[in-house]
Amino acid sequence: MLETTVVVIGGGATGMGTLRDLCMRGVPAILLEQGGLAHGTSSRFHGLLHSGGRYAVNDNESARECIEENMIVRRIGRQCVEETEGFFALTPGDDPAYVEPWAEACRKAGIDAQELDVAEALRLEPNLSPDIRRVFRVPDSCVDGFRLALHNAMSARRHGGRVMTYHEVTAIHQRNGKVCGVTARNSISGESLEIACQCVVNAAGSWSGRIAGLAGLDVAVSPDRGTLIVFNHRFTSRVINRLHPGADGDIFVPHGSITILGTTSTPTERPDDTTPTCTEVLRLLDLGEPLFPAVRQYRILRAFAGTRPLYTPGNAAGRKASRNFHVVDHAEQGLEGMVSIFGGKLTTYRLMAERVSDNVCARLGVHAPCRTADEALIPDPDQAMLRRAARYFPVQGLQLMADRLGDDLPDVLQQVELAGRAGESDGNPLLCECEMVSLAEIERVARDPSTHSLTDIRLRTRLGMGTCQGTFCSLRTIGALVEHGVPLELSPTDNVRRFLQERWRGLRPALWGTQAREMELGRAVYAGTLNLDGAANEQDN
Amino acid sequence: MSRIIDVLVVGSGLAGLVAALTAAREGRSVRMVTDGMGSLAISGGCVDLLGYAGGQRLNDPWSGMDLLPPAHPYRLLGASRVRAAVDMLLQCAADQGWPLHTAATPEGAPCNALLPTIMGTLKPSYLLPDGLDPAALARARRILVAGVHGLRDCRPALIVSQLRRYRDWADKDFVPFMLPSPLGATHRSLSALDLARLVDRPRGRDWLIQNLRKHAGQCDAVLLPPICGSRADASIWHELNQAVACPLVEMLSIPPGVGGLRLRDALLRELRRHDFELVENARIIRATTDGKRCTSLTALAAGQERRHTARAFVLATGGILGGGIELAPGSARESVFKLDIPVPSDVTLWSEPEIFGNHVFSRLGVRVDGEMRPQDDSGQAWYDNIFFAGRSVGGYDFATEKSGHGVALATGWQAGRMAAATAGKFHEPASGEQL
């Protein structure tokens, strides 16, 4: 039996942000996540840090929140954000009469939208369609949602918070109309865990309906499925939005060496309905073509889907549903100490966390103010440390690695220096060249108690996210980890098989063109040469 | 100006090389046009004939032929032709001093061997060069498992941990061992091909021998990545085995395919004994046909177009990976003649949710008759003097059947024979005439 004051349910950006906020105010808290870190929607979206331009006309209040939070997240989460700026482009298929009301709404929300000469826009983004009519630049940015959750978790830990991944909440206990604890099941060991607490924050996103159900409550949250495509090219340096009322397939977002095209919108019953379909991929390509005419020529790395947790009181659905967030104090329904947070978007995660923490603190009689906008998630590493690291890590990937590792950088550096002095080092080889991930970083992440599989390592390091999609680096990684005595949950062959299977799920709906060739190379290596398929039935123990 | 040749072969993977050899051995003039190295660049250098059929691993590949679907290339050819193709390859390889052979059952019948891989898994295969023969491992009690610092793809600890999971291997003693990098302390990553090229030279052989000798003395066999030379040179192999005084066995590894390049080396050497010409880095961009006859193929190389006129053509252009088959949303076609390959219009139906499942796309290819001529839906040959071979042919899944090189060999042999015979029929004008 553990004891704490607040249990936060959901390890996405909102839950992690809430844990951090509470801990910074001195409130003891534990976060429970059913899967790995950011296993839900925080790692399954386009990675756009909204300027708010997308919402300016329909929901000016959301737009204002977006631009304010955008500026805060750039400041506190430097390692998670690439400050690219964005374009809103009017294509021949879009209504020109939408432009002026949109520009006016941006002004009202405080979004700096400057019109740009089309020729200048094409000079800056030469792959854009030459047919575009008007272009505005806005302060959009790109954000790594997984890393944002991770760095919030690191910050929360520094302030005394505790994160337990792979813990699914199975019961919420109450006494005399007040929350008194939760039961969780460790999905790896199967063990049951009791935690006594005074408050529960339901930040489970698309799963929050289920969590509320555990406490006998009914909430108006509907999962809404969005599918996206990842391309193996950074064919735009900026976020490109279509200048029209929000619709499917109208945003391109660059990340590192890739570009994401999103997003579809379909109501779904299941929060884990995340297998993309061929129909969705083809539709996205159709919709993306007016902005990037060559979009069909680019190799697709994979498609993926996530579910938005839309707040839908009175049956508003899909794009009509509000993108705003809502804090619901369930005391109104007779259960004190339980608060749910619904809706919203990743850009405003911090504000959502602040509002829900305000609610919890008021109940607990805690008066400390929110400080999450003032303190960086991860302190910048000093230059001396980076110079030391440059002796062991490829210089061109050094900053990437430092940004990914956050609080773990000093530890990784110390390990690799010790190994170097003891002569054990085999030169800290790069195991993933696409994303510049070295053995030392992978080993540190793999040894983290919250890491169970190659997929967990992929999320933290971006291993296998690039051109080879894991064909070469997954094998190298599993070999190096066995060599260094780092155990994972599954056997090495099962681990690689599951990793490849997850990649396959994203490639299957786009099985043509150059991506089909890459996929056949993967089959040639893993089935044709290594007989991973046959070995599954032939290894005896 | 270009002479008319008898047989033009497109593609230099195993199917293309075998087709060229078969036609050349029948006295035909052969030209090979190729845009890359094909399947051998990623191959281990053994010939998988048939490892799995009907959901079972096969000890005797010939026993599985009847379990295959009727459209499978082996069924179209019949086992006796497949045997003839195997015999021809065995003879050519032996002639070049790069002998291939099969494992044998206790009764002496040829059978599949189980070859260890750098992942510690075992793969069934049929024709093996000396270096892949696992017989010494079966007898061994104590096995040295060698890796090399800097060779990231091969980790002895992984190999040992996985090999132990097989019953026959569980009780063996394994000695994992890392050889120091031959380049000294460096951050540079090495591939097996880098090391194999080093071992081609005496200095590299010394490095390997000195390091293996330190430990091999206490072991019955040495398992190592495919680094014992990059060419089909058996003398290197014998020198290493003698100097280390312990049987060496190479593991199958991921690309670059050192073993495949050795086999390619042997077959190209054999081809050079005949009327054979190789045109590399050339991509076919156009076919010229006259009714049911193809008269020439035009290739683009270094920005120059060149027309290749021939009496018969073998298309060994590869499959989805090699570029012989092109997939688009809802359609598939062969890449040179743009032959339509029927597929369901819904891409979802091309594959199964499980990555190593029984996929429709994995068997997509040109439909051929028993002579390897492409057929339309009604069973009529599209062309009389074109023959397909290797993965461009439909009806089999090289990856899950472990039949890739076997089908390439059998179809290449048949296509080469048929092309040679066809060229003979059209042979009225004397060979060597100028156009």
Side-chain angles (χ1 to χ4, degrees), chain B residues 176-194:
Chain B
F177 172 58
M178 289 298 277
L179 279 72
S181 164
L183 304 181
T186 165
H187 285 212
R188 176 153 171 228
S189 299
L190 296 167
S191 74
L193 184 57
D194 295 330

Side-chain angles (χ1 to χ4, degrees), chain B residues 65-390:
Chain B
M65 302 265 169
D66 293 340
L67 302 172
L68 298 170
H72 194 286
Y74 287 155
R75 294 286 302 273
L76 294 177
L77 290 168
S80 64
R81 286 187 180 138
V82 180
R83 279 183 200 276
V86 166
D87 290 342
M88 190 212 69
L89 181 68
L90 289 176
Q91 197 191 332
C92 290
D95 288 351
Q96 279 305 319
W98 189 250
L100 302 172
H101 48 87
T102 58
T105 62
E107 296 77 40
C111 65
N112 277 331
L114 288 174
L115 308 184
T117 76
I118 47 109
M119 207 178 185
T121 49
L122 299 173
K123 184 184 82 153
S125 190
Y126 192 61
L127 303 180
L128 324 167
D130 289 341
L132 292 177
D133 186 346
L137 300 171
R139 293 189 298 267
R141 286 287 316 137
R142 198 174 157 84
I143 299 171
L144 185 73
V145 182
V148 181
H149 275 296
L151 178 60
R152 298 166 299 173
D153 302 336
C154 177
R155 298 277 183 170
L158 170 69
I159 295 155
V160 170
S161 75
Q162 295 310 296
L163 281 177
R164 277 193 209 284
R165 295 176 67 193
Y166 292 92
R167 194 174 297 122
D168 291 349
W169 296 70
D171 297 329
K172 293 188 188 293
D173 280 340
F174 292 101
V175 183
F177 172 58
M178 289 298 277
L179 279 72
S181 164
L183 304 181
T186 165
H187 285 212
R188 176 153 171 228
S189 299
L190 296 167
S191 74
L193 184 57
D194 295 330
L195 291 167
R197 285 184 174 138
L198 191 80
V199 172
D200 284 340
R201 301 198 291 272
R203 186 173 71 85
R205 290 203 281 285
D206 283 347
W207 161 78
L208 188 57
I209 290 164
Q210 297 309 324
N211 282 290
L212 288 181
R213 262 188 189 157
K214 287 180 203 156
H215 294 267
Q218 300 109 46
C219 295
D220 307 315
V222 177
L223 198 53
L224 75 173
I227 59 174
C228 300
S230 71
R231 299 187 314 262
D233 183 349
S235 70
I236 291 182
W237 180 252
H238 293 305
E239 180 191 335
L240 291 172
N241 270 274
Q242 264 178 6
V244 177
C246 182
L248 307 182
V249 181
E250 287 187 335
M251 291 174 275
L252 297 177
S253 184
I254 64 175
V258 177
L261 295 176
R262 292 176 192 148
L263 183 57
R264 177 184 157 90
D265 183 36
L267 297 180
L268 279 175
R269 258 182 358 221
E270 177 69 13
L271 271 166
R272 289 193 191 103
R273 292 167 47 175
H274 300 278
D275 184 354
F276 172 75
E277 185 189 349
L278 179 63
V279 181
E280 290 183 288
N281 300 319
R283 188 166 47 86
I284 303 295
I285 53 167
R286 201 160 47 245
T288 309
T289 55
D290 176 11
K292 293 189 95 176
R293 261 187 87 182
C294 177
T295 51
S296 70
L297 293 176
T298 303
L300 184 69
Q304 296 272 343
E305 286 191 14
R306 182 178 168 197
R307 190 165 165 163
H308 299 275
T309 306
R311 299 185 172 86
F313 299 82
V314 174
L315 276 287
T317 43
I320 297 167
L321 175 57
I325 298 170
E326 297 168 344
L327 301 184
S331 66
R333 65 179 192 183
E334 179 277 328
S335 63
V336 172
F337 294 91
K338 315 297 180 198
L339 301 176
D340 186 52
I341 299 170
V343 284
S345 60
D346 181 357
V347 177
T348 314
L349 302 176
W350 294 5
S351 65
E352 296 199 339
E354 160 66 34
I355 181 170
F356 299 124
N358 184 21
H359 306 303
V360 168
F361 78 84
S362 70
R363 297 185 303 274
L364 285 183
V366 175
R367 194 168 122 172
V368 294
D369 60 19
E371 301 192 334
M372 301 293 114
R373 282 193 182 89
Q375 283 184 322
D376 63 17
D377 285 349
S378 63
Q380 295 294 307
W382 286 103
Y383 299 101
D384 291 332
N385 64 340
I386 294 173
F387 305 89
F388 278 83

Side-chain angles (χ1 to χ4, degrees), chain B residues 40-61:
Chain B
L40 288 167
I42 61 166
S43 141
C46 52
V47 177
D48 301 352
L49 189 61
L50 188 61
Y52 294 84
Q56 291 296 312
R57 195 180 79 205
L58 303 170
N59 193 36
D60 173 10

Side-chain angles (χ1 to χ4, degrees), chain A residues 426 430 433 476 483 491-493 501 504 508 511 513 517 523 527-528 530-531 533 538-541, chain B residues 52 57 121-123 149 152-153 155 162 165 167 320-321 327 348 350-353 355 362 397 402:
Chain A
D426 45 358
L430 277 183
E433 283 114 348
R476 283 176 192 154
E483 190 91 33
S491 76
T493 43
Q501 176 64 35
W504 169 236
R508 203 179 157 225
L511 193 61
R517 290 180 91 151
R523 274 186 0 113
L530 300 177
N531 196 21
D533 52 332
E538 291 157 19
Q539 290 176 320
D540 298 295
N541 49 66
Chain B
Y52 294 84
R57 195 180 79 205
T121 49
L122 299 173
K123 184 184 82 153
H149 275 296
R152 298 166 299 173
D153 302 336
R155 298 277 183 170
Q162 295 310 296
R165 295 176 67 193
R167 194 174 297 122
I320 297 167
L321 175 57
L327 301 184
T348 314
W350 294 5
S351 65
E352 296 199 339
I355 181 170
S362 70
D397 178 359
K402 321 301 163 190

Side-chain angles (χ1 to χ4, degrees), chain A residues 17-78:
Chain A
T18 305
L19 180 73
R20 171 173 185 253
D21 196 329
L22 291 170
C23 294
M24 288 174 79
R25 300 193 209 197
V27 178
I30 295 175
L31 182 142
L32 300 175
E33 160 58 47
Q34 61 174 340
L37 214 60
H39 135 280
T41 313
S42 293
S43 62
R44 296 186 161 274
F45 76 120
H46 43 45
L48 168 60
L49 191 66
H50 279 283
S51 61
R54 170 56 66 223
Y55 305 112
V57 172
N58 279 352
D59 188 348
N60 206 256
E61 177 59 25
S62 275
R64 174 169 291 282
E65 283 170 4
C66 276
I67 187 64
E68 287 170 5
E69 289 299 312
N70 176 313
M71 294 302 159
I72 292 171
V73 174
R74 288 176 194 226
R75 202 167 63 230
I76 64 170
R78 184 192 61 74

